[in-house]
Amino acid sequence: MAAPRETPERRPFGRRFLTDPARLFQHNAWDNVEWSEEQEASARSKVQENSSQLLPQDKQEEYEVNAKRYWDDFYKVHENGFFKDRHWLFTEFPELAPNRNPKHNGDSVPGYGNKGDSNKEGLGSCENGHCSLETRAQNQLNLLKGTPEICTEEGAAQKDPELRQSGGDYPGSSASYRILEVGCGAGNTVFPILQTNNDPGLFIYCCDFSTTAVDLVQNNAEYDTSRCLAFVHDLCNDQSPFPMPDESLDVVILIFVLSAILPEKMQGVVTRLSRLLKPGGVILLRDYGRYDLAQLRFKKGQCLSDNFYVRGDGTRVYFFTQDELDDLFTTAGLEKIQNLVDRRLQVNRGKQMTMYRVWIQCKYRRPAAPWL
């Protein structure tokens, strides 16, 4: 009899029961760790405790209004030295690899590699701020004559010629495979793709809420204007245009990005991104799951609303369940390929310290049939 087919919600691993400390500290990481009822109850109790005291409304509004400044400050401090390049991308998301298989349905997904990202993974991209584009992006498209000028933040969407689409001519219009990464940060997803995927038909768009982050991407030696366009974008502003038309993208990447958005704005963001996909195009997501170590570490007074917190540096983060993400994507008209949770144990052998991480990984596809 053939082995039963793995469903998208379960990884094809055996369960990991960690009872021997000596054996535990021989390894850097364990995938698909099985939580006991006691461990889950303890995590739930910690969340109830740290969310029992919400920040006052005026403070919450302050974090919303100044979100762009907090992310700019974050990247000014850390530049590109904070995150590890995400070379696991091609194992988890074969759609990004050179020999991509368009028929890949995500039913059987290999395990996460040991090259994990920083504890503060992929942060930063959309909060309530302003849209502007950098001078380098303007120059690379040769759309401005004479001396280029940086757009003022107010009204940038209307003033910047780069984001005006004329006919079928737009950045990357001649490409045969187009990828958009939202929340690109310093480029730790974009550059591994550019380095690994030599498909001559590939074009990558990448955007971030932080002007500082986009500047880091544009000034990287690996930034190739013939294959990539980096631009500043506020996802939460539905009047802020994209440089590509609707139904033009094969892939949209959201790596630890959706969690940085105000929860009540998430549905509008997902719906808007879904319109950019070609029929059959996919959104790839990896983000924080409920009861992740980062959630349990928050103290009282850092909670903004249910499962939504502010860090010490002013940036914010939400912790999802699978059902919440499924509802966001299906409401946007997408169909599920994969929605799984990975409870992962990371071990710092030097400090003899264990860290339980909870991440959710999703793939959702725009139906091939035209939308009504």
Side-chain angles (χ1 to χ4, degrees), residues 139-211:
N139 290 339
Q140 77 182 49
L141 296 169
N142 297 315
L143 293 176
L144 294 179
K145 303 299 182 182
T147 304
E149 297 179 357
I150 297 178
C151 293
T152 59
E153 289 183 337
E154 177 146 0
Q158 290 76 30
K159 296 179 182 179
D160 199 311
E162 181 178 331
L163 296 184
R164 295 176 188 163
Q165 300 156 15
S166 57
D169 187 19
Y170 57 91
S173 59
S174 61
S176 58
Y177 198 74
R178 302 185 196 94
I179 297 172
L180 167 66
E181 189 203 1
V182 179
C184 61
N188 302 89
T189 294
V190 169
F191 292 121
I193 296 175
L194 289 173
Q195 293 160 3
T196 304
N197 193 332
N198 295 318
D199 180 353
L202 173 69
F203 193 87
I204 304 179
Y205 309 90
C206 57
C207 64
D208 201 282
F209 184 54
S210 167
T211 303

Side-chain angles (χ1 to χ4, degrees), residues 111-303:
Y112 290 107
N114 283 334
K115 292 185 177 180
D117 287 347
S118 163
N119 286 346
K120 191 167 182 181
E121 169 63 83
L123 301 171
S125 90
C126 160
E127 301 289 353
N128 183 24
H130 302 287
C131 172
S132 65
L133 273 168
E134 298 294 274
T135 304
R136 286 189 59 181
Q138 296 170 342
N139 290 339
Q140 77 182 49
L141 296 169
N142 297 315
L143 293 176
L144 294 179
K145 303 299 182 182
T147 304
E149 297 179 357
I150 297 178
C151 293
T152 59
E153 289 183 337
E154 177 146 0
Q158 290 76 30
K159 296 179 182 179
D160 199 311
E162 181 178 331
L163 296 184
R164 295 176 188 163
Q165 300 156 15
S166 57
D169 187 19
Y170 57 91
S173 59
S174 61
S176 58
Y177 198 74
R178 302 185 196 94
I179 297 172
L180 167 66
E181 189 203 1
V182 179
C184 61
N188 302 89
T189 294
V190 169
F191 292 121
I193 296 175
L194 289 173
Q195 293 160 3
T196 304
N197 193 332
N198 295 318
D199 180 353
L202 173 69
F203 193 87
I204 304 179
Y205 309 90
C206 57
C207 64
D208 201 282
F209 184 54
S210 167
T211 303
T212 304
V214 172
D215 189 59
L216 288 169
V217 173
Q218 292 177 341
N219 284 288
N220 191 299
E222 299 288 334
Y223 184 60
D224 182 352
T225 58
S226 69
R227 305 183 69 212
C228 182
L229 171 65
F231 58 100
V232 178
H233 188 82
D234 178 7
L235 274 179
C236 298
N237 178 3
D238 59 9
Q239 300 302 311
S240 178
F242 287 101
M244 79 292 290
D246 288 351
E247 300 189 23
S248 63
L249 298 177
D250 296 276
V251 178
V252 172
I253 308 171
L254 294 167
I255 305 293
F256 294 91
V257 169
L258 198 59
S259 54
I261 296 171
L262 199 65
E264 51 263 40
K265 296 185 178 181
M266 290 178 183
Q267 185 63 68
V269 167
V270 172
T271 298
R272 188 166 175 238
L273 290 173
S274 69
R275 296 191 185 115
L276 296 174
L277 293 173
K278 299 175 181 177
V282 294
I283 289 183
L284 310 177
L285 174 140
R286 193 182 188 195
D287 219 321
Y288 294 103
R290 192 68 48 83
Y291 306 145
D292 178 68
L293 171 70
Q295 182 177 19
L296 304 186
R297 282 181 169 176
F298 280 108
K299 307 298 183 184
K300 283 185 180 180
Q302 292 180 275
C303 188

